[in-house]
Amino acid sequence: SLIVDSLETGGGGVISVMKAYDYKRLEADLPLIRGHGGPIVDFDFSPFNDNLFATASEDGSIKLWVIPEDGITQDTTECDAELEDTPESLSSQSSIPPQITHWLHQQPTANKNLGYFSIKMRVDYNDISQTTTGLEWNLTGSLLGAIAKNKTLNIFDPRSEAPALVGNNTHEGTDIKVAWLGQPNQIFTAGFSKIAEKEYAVWDTRDLTQPLVRRRLDEYAGIPFSFYDEDSSLLYIAGKGECNINFYQYSPESPNIIDYLGNYKGKEP
């Protein structure tokens, strides 16, 4: 019932909140949530409570918000709960910790009595020595998939001391992105080939020596960002700076594993 969007403004992270089916021109003085000191790098809704969502900022803060049924009528700075003992900073490759995501997905009676959370342990993983261009938790929060700047796909369990599983030469280009699919052992990557064609690959985490499939995506040049919806088994792929969003059906039994369904084309990126 609500739509939220992170806005790029000076002086910290800002979220706009709008009703999903309230079709009208947006006001110039739209009420905003101004609750973080740095840019917002991730946010997520509870599937059980349309008015509850979490935000994570580059400044290391993670906050929970409950939006009134009638929406917000003025700028809001006070959250309903805040995660304590978070990392000093979060990047655009970071995400809301799985503790919070799981809590959002397991609270059908959630209300303003949210309580507070505390991370009991911080994990520093040294197997990946390079900057990551893609970072994604699987649905259960048991595994983390990371694409390093050297184009390797790394799969590891942050709760285990076991070394990461590594797949080499995922894609030839830089800015490779990653997304977990419906099967617990299948992960999707998107990037560019040697001749700069946009492509995707699907990997089995039990054997990262070769992808299960590798296919061309489209002719556009924008960096591909992928979003997988578990409930509908749909994968959405949007290119940075592009005006269209392609959507695919995830079908493990299909030779392509993901099958093209159609796309949405807008007028502006």
Side-chain angles (χ1 to χ4, degrees):
S1 63
L2 294 173
I3 296 175
V4 300
D5 189 22
S6 177
L7 304 180
E8 294 184 5
T9 63
V14 175
I15 285 277
S16 63
V17 181
M18 299 156 282
K19 291 186 177 180
Y21 304 105
D22 190 10
Y23 303 111
K24 63 180 182 180
R25 184 182 295 273
L26 298 179
E27 301 89 349
D29 57 347
L30 186 70
L32 301 172
I33 292 177
R34 302 178 178 273
H36 293 281
I40 292 171
V41 298
D42 197 13
F43 52 85
D44 193 12
F45 269 102
S46 166
F48 301 109
N49 186 334
D50 290 343
N51 301 80
L52 172 64
F53 70 98
T55 55
S57 171
E58 195 175 80
D59 63 10
S61 61
I62 298 174
K63 299 184 179 183
L64 301 175
W65 309 84
V66 176
I67 305 301
E69 289 295 333
D70 296 330
I72 59 174
T73 57
Q74 60 184 6
D75 285 5
T76 302
T77 58
E78 296 297 325
C79 64
D80 292 271
E82 182 172 0
L83 180 66
E84 298 173 343
D85 302 326
T86 59
E88 294 179 0
S89 64
L90 295 169
S91 72
S92 58
Q93 300 301 332
S94 304
S95 58
I96 294 176
Q99 301 100 310
I100 298 302
T101 302
H102 287 181
W103 188 87
L104 289 172
H105 284 246
Q106 294 172 4
Q107 298 296 321
T109 60
N111 53 39
K112 285 196 175 182
N113 299 317
L114 298 178
Y116 285 76
F117 300 87
S118 177
I119 293 177
K120 302 299 182 184
M121 178 180 65
R122 174 174 173 172
V123 178
D124 293 311
Y125 205 82
N126 298 319
D127 276 23
I128 305 174
S129 58
Q130 298 195 357
T131 303
T132 58
T133 64
L135 188 67
E136 189 78 22
W137 292 95
N138 69 354
L139 184 65
T140 63
S142 60
L143 293 174
L144 191 60
I147 295 289
K149 195 174 181 179
N150 62 1
K151 308 171 187 177
T152 59
L153 171 61
N154 303 265
I155 308 294
F156 61 95
D157 179 357
R159 301 164 187 80
S160 170
E161 295 183 358
L165 301 174
V166 179
N168 294 308
N169 300 320
T170 51
H171 302 279
E172 294 296 329
T174 58
D175 292 312
I176 302 166
K177 303 303 177 184
V178 62
W180 290 89
L181 298 175
Q183 297 284 344
N185 60 330
Q186 289 189 353
I187 192 167
F188 169 94
T189 60
F192 293 90
S193 67
K194 279 185 178 181
I195 57 175
E197 286 185 337
K198 194 184 299 183
E199 65 178 13
Y200 78 87
V202 179
W203 307 78
D204 188 323
T205 58
R206 296 165 297 186
D207 182 4
L208 297 177
T209 55
Q210 292 290 335
L212 298 174
V213 298
R214 188 188 296 274
R215 299 282 189 274
R216 183 174 180 267
L217 270 175
D218 55 46
E219 70 276 10
Y220 299 106
I223 298 170
F225 288 84
S226 53
F227 308 88
Y228 179 70
D229 180 62
E230 175 71 19
D231 294 330
S232 61
S233 298
L234 290 180
L235 180 71
Y236 299 87
I237 302 177
K240 185 177 181 180
E242 296 174 3
C243 302
N244 62 303
I245 300 174
N246 296 321
F247 37 97
Y248 299 78
Q249 179 72 51
Y250 171 59
S251 304
E253 67 280 358
S254 167
N256 297 321
I257 300 183
I258 63 169
D259 294 313
Y260 178 77
L261 294 178
N263 70 348
Y264 167 81
K265 291 186 178 180
K267 295 182 179 179
E268 297 182 359

